[in-house]
Amino acid sequence: MKKTGNLKKVTALICVAVMGATMVGCNPGDDGPTKVVDQTKAQLYVSNFNAGAGSEWLEKAIARFEVDYADKEFIPGTKGVQVWVTPHRQGLTELGPKMATAKEEVYFLEYVPYYEGISKGYFLDITDMVTQDLTQYGETVSIEDKLYDSQVNYFKTPEGKYYGIPHTQSPTLITYDADLFDKKGYYFGADGNLGKKSTDSGLSKGPDGKSGTYDDGLPATYAQFYQLCEKMKKQNIAPLIWSGTYPWYTTRFARSVKADFEGEEHMLAYTFNGTATHLVDSIDAQGNVTYKAPTTITEENGYQVFSSAGYYYTYEFFEGIYKNGYYSNKAFNESTTHTGAQELFLVSSFTSAQDIAMLVEGTYWVNESLGTFDEMAVNIDEDAALEKRNLKVMPLPKARDNLVGTPTTYVDCLNELAFISAYVKEEKKELAKTFLQYCETQKSLEEFLQTTKLTRCYDVDYSNIYDTLCPYSQSIVDSLKGANYLMPNSSSEVFLNNYTDFFETYEFGTKAQANPMWGIKNGSTALELFETMKNKYNQNSWNVLLGK
Amino acid sequence: MAKSVFSNKQKKDIVFCLILLALPLIQFSVFYIGVNINSFVMVFQRYEVNAETGIGSYVFNGFKNFDTMIKQIYYDGIFLGALKNSLLAFVLVTLVGVTLALVFSLYIYKRMPLSSTFRVLLFAPSILSAVVTVTMFRYFVEDVIPVLFHLEQGLLANQDTKFGTILFFNVWIGFGTQVLMYSGAMSGIDPSITEAARLDGAGPAREFFSIILPLIFPTLQTFLVAGVAGLFINQVNLLEFSGLWSEARYMTVGYYLFKNAQSASSGELPLLATYGVSLTLIAAPLTLLTRKLLDKYGPSVE
C-alpha cells in the first residue's frame, strides 16, 4: 500500500516537472525568456501570421516603437509601452470567432476575406489613422496616400471608411537565376536574338518596351519566352520548376498572367461592376482572338466575365510551356513541395544536378529560404549565400507583340490584411492605432524590405535604401515601379454569398480541372480549357448564385 | 432532522463522478448538440448584410436553401461525381479492406510464421499521424515506384492512377485497427470449440465460415455499420494528399463538404448546412437499416 502511495507521488512529481519544464520562459507572447512584463508600461498584444514574411520584421519594429514611445502615457498611470507578439498560422476563419475573448489587439494576417470580416464586425474603424498625415514621423503623406489607387477602391468601403490596410505584397511570379543568364547569354539583343549578357549594350527593350530600364534583354512576349526556354532545353538546362505537391502555386501564377493581360479589368471577375473590353467572340485555329463589343457587366450578367481573353492567353502560355517540355522533371512530382522546389532551384547551380533557370513562386519565397541560403553557404560554396546570388524577379512577358509596352499589373495572392480588433478596449485604441500606423511609416516599410527581402503592399519610393538591398529585393522594387496592383476580393453580394464557388473559379477551377497547368498536362488544349471556363456558368446556373 | 439518503462516501463518489463527467458532457453539449442545432436552424436561414451598417446577420429564408441545393447539384455536377466516388470508396475500402483484414487476422490467429511481425507491421501505420503516413506514402509512390518500374511519372502525378492509389492507401491504412480488433476477437474464441470442430472433420474453410466468422461477427458488424454511417463524411485522406485543392474528379462527398465549409463565407454556410441535414436524412435510416439487415441475415453461432 505504501509502495503504491509513493509511486503515485513520484508519478505526480514527474508530471508536474514535465509540465513545468514546458512553461519555463513563457511570457505573455512568445518573445523569449528575456522580456518580462513591466506593469508600469502599457501592454499591447499583436497577432502575426508567421509564414512567408516571418516575425523578425515585427520584432524590429517593436524594438524601435518601445524606445520611441518610452515616455508616452498611452494609458493613465503607465509610462511607455511593451508589445508582445503571438506568432501563428491561422487565418480569420479560425481567429475571428475567438477575437472577442482574445488578448491580441493588432493583427497581421494572411487569407482574410476583408468584406466578410467587416460584415462580421471583427474590425475596428481606423479611418482617422489611415487618413492622418504622418507628420510626426517627418512625412508629408498619410497611409491612404501610400496606397495604390486600386487599393483605395478596395479598402475604402462605400461609406468611406477603412477597417484594414495592406500587409505584405505577394504576387506569384517567375524568379530567374541572373548569374546563369549572364553565363549562358540568355538575354535578347535588339535584333531579337539571344546571346547577350545583362552588361552588354544593344539589349532588347523587354516587356515594358523601353530601353535603359530594368527589364532590358528579358523576353518581351510569350514567343520570346519560348525561344529562351528552347535554348535552355537544348543546353540541358531545365527552364522552370514549381511545386508539384501544391499545384496552386501555378494557379496563382496563372492569376498573375491573366491580371497582367487584363489590367484593372481583371477586377470585374470580383466586383461584377464595370465595362469589359476583352470578352471573346471567337478564337481561330491560329489562336487569334476576336473580341465582342465592350459590354457592361453587372451582377445580373456577371458570368460573362469568365469568357475573358485573359483566360485564353493564360492557358495558351501554359500550353506552350508544357507541350514543349520547358520544365524540370520534378515539377509535376507530388513529392516536390514548395520549399523542395526552392531548394532544387537554388542548389542546381552548385551541384552536378541539372541546372534550373527559373522558379515559379510567391515573391516571399526568398525569406522562406534564408535557412537554405545559409546552409548552402556553409556546406556547399560561400558564393551560394543570398548576398552573393544574383536572383531576380522576371517581368511577365506579354501575350502578343502589340501588347509590349502596356502597363504591368500584379495581383495579390494571399489576401493579407493588417487591422485592429473591434473588441479592443477603449483605453487601448490610441495605442493600437499608433502602433499600426508606426508600422506603415517610411522607416518601417524600408526596414521590412531590408529584413524580409519583400515589400509591404504600398506604392512608396525605396530609392533611399536601394543600394543596400540584395539583387532580388532590388528587382522586386524595379518591377513594381509604375505597376498597378490589384486585391482579388470585393463587397459584391454575389461574390460574398458564393465565395467558395468563385474562389474555385478564380483559381481557374472547373469541374474538369482544378488547375490550368495540370489541365494541360492531363491532355486538354488551351482552347478546350477556355471553352470549359467560358461555359462554367450560363444564365440559369448564374441565377442560382444570385439566389433566384 | 431527516437523515441524508446518501452517506458521505456516496456523496463524495457522486461529486467525483460529476466532476469526471462534466467536461465531456459540456464538450458534447457545445460541440455536438449545440453545433447540430445551429446547423439545423441555419437550413432555414440566409445571411444578409445591412446596406447601411455593413454588418451581416442571419434571417429567415424558409425552404429556399433546399431549392438552391437541388439546382446547384443539377447545374454544378461536382456533387454527383463526389457521390459516385464516395460509394466507390465505400465498396472498395470497406469490402476489400474487411476481406483482407479477415484473412490477415486469421493468419495471425493461426499463429502462422511471422504472424507477430505482421501484426506489428500492419498496426504501425495506424499509430502515426495521417499527415506523416501520407507524406511517406507520397514519397514512395512518387519517387521510388517510378524508379523500380521505369515509369515516366509517379502514381499520384498520373491522373489515371491517382484515385486508385489513394484508395489503395486507404485500404492499407485501415488494416491496422481492423486486424487488431478481428484477431483480438478471434483469440477470445474458446480453443475447445475449434478443436471439437476439427475432430468432427471440419476443414479450414468450414472452421472459418461456421465457427470463427459467426463468433467474431459482432466486431465485424460494428465496422460495417460504422462504415455506412461514415459514408458521407469519409474524405479518403484526400485532404492530406491534396489539401483544399483537389481536382473535382477525385472528390468524395466528405471532402466536398469539408473543403467548402473550410473556405465558406457566412453567406454560404446555410446552403452547406442544408447539404449536411439532407445527407443525414439519408445516412441515418441507411445505417439503421444496415444494422437490422446484418442482425437478421448475418452468420449466426447457432
Side-chain angles (χ1 to χ4, degrees), chain A residues 14 40 107 109 125 153 290 300 318 344 413 441 458 504 512:
Chain A
I14 290 171
T40 65
Y107 289 77
L109 298 186
D125 178 357
N153 294 336
T290 306
E300 292 297 314
F318 280 26
L344 286 168
C413 68
T441 59
Y458 292 100
E504 282 293 293

Side-chain angles (χ1 to χ4, degrees), chain A residues 87-337:
Chain A
H88 58 82
R89 293 209 175 191
Q90 292 181 304
L92 192 69
T93 312
E94 294 87 7
L95 294 177
K98 295 185 272 188
M99 277 171 59
T101 52
K103 66 175 187 281
E104 287 77 18
E105 288 123 349
V106 177
Y107 289 77
F108 295 93
L109 298 186
E110 290 185 4
Y111 309 114
V112 182
Y114 180 54
Y115 283 94
E116 162 84 358
I118 293 173
S119 81
K120 302 290 280 185
Y122 291 150
F123 310 147
L124 184 71
D125 178 357
I126 52 172
T127 312
D128 53 346
M129 184 210 93
V130 177
T131 53
Q132 178 187 51
D133 283 345
L134 302 169
T135 47
Q136 67 182 108
Y137 303 106
E139 298 179 37
T140 55
V141 295
S142 65
I143 293 174
E144 184 180 41
D145 295 329
K146 297 180 181 185
L147 298 174
Y148 293 86
D149 290 344
S150 59
Q151 286 180 314
V152 175
N153 294 336
Y154 170 74
F155 285 106
K156 199 173 188 175
T157 67
E159 297 79 39
K161 291 182 178 176
Y162 285 95
Y163 290 93
I165 48 177
H167 184 22
T168 61
Q169 197 158 27
S170 54
T172 298
L173 298 169
I174 291 173
T175 297
Y176 67 101
D177 184 344
D179 286 327
L180 182 70
F181 272 49
D182 272 332
K183 187 174 150 192
K184 298 284 184 181
Y186 285 157
Y187 291 93
F188 285 91
D191 58 1
N193 292 321
L194 284 162
K196 295 272 190 183
K197 293 181 180 177
S198 61
T199 49
D200 289 344
S201 60
L203 291 172
S204 66
K205 293 177 180 175
D208 70 355
K210 295 172 190 163
S211 290
T213 54
Y214 76 100
D215 68 348
D216 287 359
L218 293 171
T221 60
Y222 292 178
Q224 282 199 335
F225 187 80
Y226 299 147
Q227 193 183 333
L228 169 67
C229 291
E230 187 61 33
K231 182 169 180 179
M232 290 172 175
K233 193 179 164 189
K234 282 180 178 165
Q235 294 177 338
N236 194 31
I237 289 172
L240 286 157
I241 189 166
W242 51 77
S243 171
T245 307
Y246 309 118
W248 68 83
Y249 278 82
T250 57
T251 311
R252 288 172 177 169
F253 180 57
R255 181 193 267 179
S256 295
V257 174
K258 176 175 176 278
D260 188 50
F261 168 76
E262 293 177 342
E264 191 73 32
E265 244 182 83
H266 178 72
M267 288 302 292
L268 285 178
Y270 305 84
T271 62
F272 307 106
N273 181 17
T275 304
T277 62
H278 293 117
L279 301 187
V280 172
D281 186 43
S282 63
I283 301 173
D284 69 19
Q286 284 72 46
N288 297 313
V289 176
T290 306
Y291 295 110
K292 285 181 181 172
T295 307
T296 302
I297 297 295
T298 64
E299 287 199 349
E300 292 297 314
N301 67 351
Y303 66 94
Q304 292 194 31
V305 300
F306 301 105
S307 63
S308 166
Y311 286 108
Y312 174 71
Y313 286 126
T314 305
Y315 292 136
E316 184 195 70
F317 186 47
F318 280 26
E319 186 177 39
I321 291 169
Y322 179 77
K323 294 213 164 153
N324 294 303
Y326 298 149
Y327 54 89
S328 158
N329 60 6
K330 291 283 184 185
F332 286 103
N333 190 311
E334 290 217 8
S335 64
T336 306
T337 61

Side-chain angles (χ1 to χ4, degrees), chain A residues 328-402:
Chain A
S328 158
N329 60 6
K330 291 283 184 185
F332 286 103
N333 190 311
E334 290 217 8
S335 64
T336 306
T337 61
H338 60 305
T339 50
Q342 294 164 12
E343 196 171 322
L344 286 168
F345 171 64
L346 288 175
V347 302
S348 70
S349 306
F350 293 89
T351 63
S352 57
Q354 185 188 31
D355 275 346
I356 300 169
M358 295 176 277
L359 169 73
V360 175
E361 252 288 9
T363 50
Y364 49 80
W365 78 269
V366 163
N367 198 49
E368 280 183 343
S369 280
L370 289 179
T372 307
F373 282 107
D374 293 342
E375 275 179 35
M376 286 175 62
V378 172
N379 299 325
I380 300 179
D381 191 323
E382 60 182 23
D383 285 340
L386 172 62
E387 294 71 27
K388 296 190 176 181
R389 293 296 299 268
N390 201 7
L391 304 170
K392 293 184 175 180
V393 167
M394 177 180 280
L396 289 166
K398 305 294 180 183
R400 297 288 185 270
D401 288 344
N402 63 334

Side-chain angles (χ1 to χ4, degrees), chain B residues 64-130:
Chain B
K64 186 80 172 67
N65 288 327
F66 287 98
D67 179 49
T68 307
M69 180 185 76
I70 290 163
K71 283 179 182 167
Q72 194 183 67
I73 290 172
Y74 175 75
Y75 286 117
D76 191 32
I78 293 178
F79 182 82
L80 289 177
L83 188 61
K84 193 180 115 193
N85 285 342
S86 283
L87 294 171
L88 184 66
F90 171 74
V91 170
L92 284 176
V93 175
T94 306
L95 298 189
V96 176
V98 165
T99 307
L100 289 175
L102 283 172
V103 171
F104 276 99
S105 301
L106 192 64
Y107 188 89
I108 290 166
Y109 169 63
K110 290 290 179 184
R111 301 184 192 283
M112 304 288 265
L114 296 174
S115 57
S116 298
T117 312
F118 278 127
R119 185 199 286 256
V120 174
L121 282 179
L122 289 170
F123 190 66
S126 304
I127 57 173
L128 294 173
S129 119

Side-chain angles (χ1 to χ4, degrees), chain A residues 116 118-120 248 332-335 496-500 504 511-514 521-522 540 547-548, chain B residues 47 54-56 64 71 75 138 142-143 153 156-157 159 162 245 247-249 259-260 263 265-266 268:
Chain A
E116 162 84 358
I118 293 173
S119 81
K120 302 290 280 185
W248 68 83
F332 286 103
N333 190 311
E334 290 217 8
S335 64
L496 287 177
N497 285 338
N498 302 280
Y499 185 72
T500 310
E504 282 293 293
K511 186 189 167 188
Q513 50 83 33
K521 172 180 173 285
N522 292 338
N540 288 332
K548 288 184 176 177
Chain B
Y47 191 67
I55 301 294
K64 186 80 172 67
K71 283 179 182 167
Y75 286 117
R138 175 187 282 133
E142 285 298 278
D143 294 337
Q153 52 187 344
L156 292 170
Q159 67 157 352
K162 182 166 181 168
W245 286 267
E247 295 281 351
R249 69 173 74 93
K259 169 189 161 301
N260 286 356
S263 52
S265 65
S266 303
E268 293 172 289

